[in-house]
Amino acid sequence: MGEATIKDIAKASGVSISTVSRVINGNYPVSREARERVEEAMQKLDYRPNAIARSLRNQKTNLAALVVADLSNPFFMEIAKGLEEEMAGIGCQLVIASSGGSVQKERELLDTLIEKRIDGLVIASSDNEGGHIKTCIEAGIPVVLVDRSIEGIHTSQILWDDEKYSYQLTKLFIDNGHKDIGIVNVTLTNPNGKWRLEGFRRALREAGIPEKPEFISSSNFSSDEACYFVTQMMAAKNRPTAIFCANNIMLQGTLQALRNLGLRIYDDVSVAVFGNPECNRYISPAVTAAGQDTLKMGQMAGELLKNLISKEENREKTMILKSEILMGGSIRRIG
Amino acid sequence: MGEATIKDIAKASGVSISTVSRVINGNYPVSREARERVEEAMQKLDYRPNAIARSLRNQKTNLAALVVADLSNPFFMEIAKGLEEEMAGIGCQLVIASSGGSVQKERELLDTLIEKRIDGLVIASSDNEGGHIKTCIEAGIPVVLVDRSIEGIHTSQILWDDEKYSYQLTKLFIDNGHKDIGIVNVTLTNPNGKWRLEGFRRALREAGIPEKPEFISSSNFSSDEACYFVTQMMAAKNRPTAIFCANNIMLQGTLQALRNLGLRIYDDVSVAVFGNPECNRYISPAVTAAGQDTLKMGQMAGELLKNLISKEENREKTMILKSEILMGGSIRRIG
DNA sequence: CATCCGATAGAAAACGTTTTCTATATATAT
DNA sequence: ATATATATAGAAAACGTTTTCTATCGGATG
C-alpha cells in the first residue's frame, strides 16, 4: 500500500525527514551519499509524496475549477479541453462541475470549491447577481469569466463580440432580401441574449424593417424550448423567411422543429447561427455561422488564469474574441 | 479575505478550538451558550473550513477522478455527466483528466492523481498493460473501469456487450442481403476493437460469407483515419455494399468520407454503428445503431465506485450493459 | 458523606509535508 | 592558531483541522 510517508523514508535511510524533503525537492544541498540512500529507500518503499500535506503547507492545491451549466454541451467541453491543455503546463488539474443552469446549485458548487482552496476558477456563470463570484474573489481565488460577463464583477474576462456578429449575420439575411426574420434567443437575463438581440435589432433598424414581436423568442434556453417556439412560429400563417439562432443549442432545437414540420433549410427557410453548428459535419447545405473558436477560448482562459495566479500580470484583463463568418449554403436570396 | 481559521473563531468567541470544531461537526455535545457564540463568530468572520486540512486529518478528499482519452468526445462527456450526478450525492466532486490517447500521458496523470489522494477513480484506459492502474489499486484507491476492461486487473467494471451487438448489427446487414460488408474498427489492442470484430466475424462465419481483408480496417482510432480508410475502400472497384462502424467516432469519419465521395447512405451504401450516432439528430435516414446509454454508464460507474468507497460492497462487480438496436433507415434490402 | 456518572470543554497529539533555525564539521583566510 | 565561511543535516515550528485524552463541575446514587 502506497502508505509510506516521508518519516518512513527517513527511518529507512537513516537520515532526518528534513533531509528527505530536501532530496525530494532538490532545493537544498544534500551529500551524495545521503541522497543515494534516500533515493534507494523511496524506490524500495514506493514512496509517493502526499499532495494534501503539501497543499496544506504550501497553500497551493494545483487544482483549478471549471464551472459550467451543462457538461454535455460541446461548447463547454471545447472550453474544458483548451483549459485543461493550458493548465497542464503548470501542473494544474481540472475540477469540472456543472450547475445544470441552477443558480442555487452553482452557489453551492462555488462554496465547496472555495473550501477546497482551488488555485483558480473559470466560470461561465448562470448567476446574474454575481454575489458568490465576488465571494470567491474576496477569498483570494483568481477568477476568469468566460462567455458571460457579470455586472459589477471586476476580474479577467473573455467574451465574444455578440452585438457585432449578430448584426452581421442579420444583415446577411437582409442583404439577401429577407424582411421577415425570426430570432431564437436565449434568455435576456443572460448578457449574451441581451447583446445578440441588440445586434439583431440594429440590423433591422438600419434597414428600416419593423420588428415583429411574434418573431422574437422571449426566454428559452433548452433545445426543447427552442423547438417549441420555432414550431409555433413556423406554423402561423405569417411566418418568417429566415431564422437567426443565438447559439448552437438554439440551432439544435430549430432544426428539430424544421424536420418535424418537413421544412428544408434554404429551400423553405434560411438559417444562420451564432456559434458552431455541429450539424455542419453532417448536413448540407451547411448552416452559415458566426463561428466561435471555443478551444481557443479555453486556452485563453487558461492563460489569463495563469497570469492571475502567478500575479505576474495582476491587472485583470478583458478579451473580446472575434468570430469568423463561416459561409454555408443556408441563406437563400429572395425577393 | 476568507482567511479566518478555526483558531480565529476560537479566539473571537472565547472558547477552545476543540469546541469550535465540535460546533462545526455537531458530533459532540456543546452548551447552547457556547454554540451560539461560536456560530456568531463564524458568521461575522465569514469562516470557511479548510477542506485541505480536513482531508489531511480525515484521509478523505471528496474528490473522484475521471480519466478518458478525449474530453470533447460526446461519449465520454455523457459518462462524465452521469458520474458527476451520482457522486454529488456523497459530496464528491470530479477531477477530469484526458490523456489524448497517450499511454505515457495517462500514466503521468494517474501518478499525480494518486499523489492527490483522490477517493476514487473511474477510467476508460488507453493503456493495455494496466500496470499503473494496478498501482492505483495497490495504493488503496477504488477503481472502476468503464468501456474498456484490462486483462489482469480485478476491480469493478462496466462494459458493453460488444460481441453480441456487433453480431446482431452485422446479421442485420446479412439478413438484408448484404454479402460485401466493411468494418471500420478501432485498434485491436483495444478490447472493444477485438470483440466488435469478433461479433462481426461470427455473423459472417455463420452465414458462410468469407472475410475480405481489404474490407477490414486494421487499426485506427481517429475520425480522420477512419475517413481515409473508407475513402480508400470505397474507391476500389470491388467495394462493399454495407459498412459497420465500431463507434461514433468511426462513424463520423465514415460519413465524412461518404460525403466527399458523393455517396448517399441507403441509396449507395448501407451503414450501421455500434454507439450513439450524434448525426441522427440532423440527417435522415437515421443510422441504424446499437445504442449505448452512456449517461447510465456514468451513473452506474458512480454507483459501483460508491460501493467500493464505502466498502459496503467490497467485492468488485462486473456489469455488462445491454444495448438497444435503434432501427434507422440506413440499411437497404438488396439482392 | 463518599463515589460515581454525565455533561461540558480544554490540551495535546496526529495527519504529512516544507522551511526556518540551529548546530556541527571542514576548509579557507588572516 | 584564530576567526570566518561553507557544506551539510537535525530539531522544531507551521499549515488547519479532528479526536483522544483529561479535567472540572453538578448532581445522582450508594
Side-chain angles (χ1 to χ4, degrees), chain B residues 205-223:
Chain B
R205 206 164 50 234
E206 288 184 5
I209 301 174
E211 286 178 25
K212 299 200 182 154
E214 67 272 28
F215 288 176
I216 299 182
S217 84
S218 54
S219 73
N220 49 49
F221 223 137
S222 71
S223 153

Side-chain angles (χ1 to χ4, degrees), chain B residues 6 21 25 27 47 50 53-54 57:
Chain B
I6 202 174
S21 173
N25 295 289
N27 48 0
Y47 170 71
N50 182 321
R54 275 190 166 162
R57 166 71 210 206

Side-chain angles (χ1 to χ4, degrees), chain B residues 66-275:
Chain B
L66 173 66
V67 174
V68 298
D70 180 11
L71 275 187
S72 56
N73 185 341
F75 175 80
F76 293 129
M77 278 311 98
E78 284 289 315
I79 293 180
K81 193 172 175 176
L83 180 62
E84 192 211 19
E85 219 171 285
E86 198 66 25
M87 298 311 287
I90 57 168
C92 215
Q93 287 182 322
L94 219 54
V95 178
I96 299 197
S98 65
S99 66
S102 148
V103 172
Q104 173 62 24
K105 179 90 190 289
E106 180 180 308
R107 289 179 181 167
E108 287 167 13
L109 287 174
L110 290 183
D111 278 335
T112 68
L113 288 170
I114 293 178
E115 294 188 357
K116 287 217 167 79
R117 302 303 198 258
I118 51 166
D119 290 344
L121 170 69
V122 174
I123 182 170
S125 178
S126 306
D127 186 351
N128 303 302
E129 300 300 334
H132 265 62
I133 294 187
K134 202 170 277 180
T135 306
C136 290
I137 296 175
E138 282 163 3
I141 299 180
V143 176
V144 173
L145 265 32
V146 289
D147 187 49
R148 308 172 189 183
S149 78
I150 301 175
E151 216 169 329
I153 301 289
H154 294 119
T155 189
S156 287
Q157 309 182 277
I158 169 159
L159 308 166
W160 307 106
D161 200 340
D162 294 298
E163 204 273 348
K164 176 172 167 191
Y165 293 96
S166 295
Y167 168 85
Q168 288 193 6
L169 286 176
T170 309
K171 186 149 183 307
L172 209 51
F173 281 140
I174 296 170
D175 290 346
N176 277 281
H178 293 270
K179 290 193 161 52
D180 296 317
I181 307 172
I183 175 170
V184 186
N185 199 9
V186 296
T187 84
L188 289 177
T189 48
N190 174 300
N192 294 340
K194 182 184 158 204
W195 289 109
R196 290 177 196 182
L197 180 60
E198 286 295 333
F200 174 81
R201 279 186 162 144
R202 178 159 66 92
L204 293 187
R205 206 164 50 234
E206 288 184 5
I209 301 174
E211 286 178 25
K212 299 200 182 154
E214 67 272 28
F215 288 176
I216 299 182
S217 84
S218 54
S219 73
N220 49 49
F221 223 137
S222 71
S223 153
D224 283 350
E225 286 178 71
C227 178
Y228 178 77
F229 170 74
V230 172
T231 304
Q232 296 294 107
M233 177 170 69
M234 297 305 287
K237 63 172 180 285
N238 279 332
R239 67 189 199 192
T241 60
I243 300 178
F244 171 53
C245 301
N247 73 13
N248 63 331
I249 302 291
M250 297 301 101
L251 176 64
Q252 272 179 24
T254 299
L255 295 188
Q256 175 73 43
L258 297 182
R259 283 182 75 190
N260 292 347
L261 294 165
L263 296 173
R264 284 160 308 171
I265 295 175
Y266 185 88
D267 295 306
D268 300 317
V269 57
S270 294
V271 176
V273 62
F274 195 122

Side-chain angles (χ1 to χ4, degrees), chain A residues 88-269:
Chain A
I90 57 168
C92 214
Q93 287 182 323
L94 219 55
V95 178
I96 298 197
S98 66
S99 66
S102 148
V103 173
Q104 173 63 22
K105 180 92 189 289
E106 180 180 309
R107 291 180 180 166
E108 287 167 14
L109 288 175
L110 291 184
D111 278 336
T112 68
L113 288 170
I114 294 178
E115 293 188 358
K116 288 217 166 81
R117 301 304 195 258
I118 51 167
D119 290 343
L121 170 69
V122 173
I123 181 170
S125 178
S126 306
D127 185 351
N128 303 301
E129 300 299 334
H132 265 62
I133 294 188
K134 203 170 277 180
T135 306
C136 290
I137 297 176
E138 282 163 4
I141 299 178
V143 176
V144 173
L145 265 33
V146 289
D147 188 50
R148 309 172 188 183
S149 77
I150 301 174
E151 217 169 330
I153 302 288
H154 294 119
T155 189
S156 287
Q157 308 181 276
I158 170 159
L159 309 166
W160 308 105
D161 200 340
D162 295 298
E163 205 272 348
K164 177 174 168 189
Y165 293 96
S166 295
Y167 168 84
Q168 289 192 6
L169 286 176
T170 309
K171 188 153 181 307
L172 209 51
F173 282 141
I174 294 170
D175 290 346
N176 278 282
H178 292 271
K179 290 193 161 52
D180 296 317
I181 308 172
I183 175 171
V184 186
N185 200 7
V186 296
T187 82
L188 290 178
T189 48
N190 174 300
N192 295 340
K194 183 184 158 202
W195 288 109
R196 290 177 196 183
L197 180 59
E198 287 296 329
F200 174 79
R201 278 185 164 147
R202 179 159 65 92
L204 293 187
R205 209 166 47 236
E206 287 185 4
I209 301 174
E211 286 177 24
K212 297 201 181 154
E214 67 271 26
F215 287 177
I216 299 181
S217 84
S218 52
S219 71
N220 50 50
F221 225 136
S222 71
S223 153
D224 284 349
E225 287 178 70
C227 177
Y228 178 76
F229 170 74
V230 173
T231 304
Q232 296 294 108
M233 179 170 68
M234 298 304 289
K237 63 172 180 289
N238 279 332
R239 68 189 197 192
T241 60
I243 301 178
F244 171 53
C245 301
N247 73 14
N248 64 331
I249 302 292
M250 297 301 100
L251 176 64
Q252 273 180 23
T254 299
L255 295 187
Q256 175 73 44
L258 296 182
R259 284 182 74 189
N260 292 348
L261 294 165
L263 295 174
R264 285 161 307 171
I265 295 175
Y266 184 90
D267 296 305
D268 300 317
V269 57

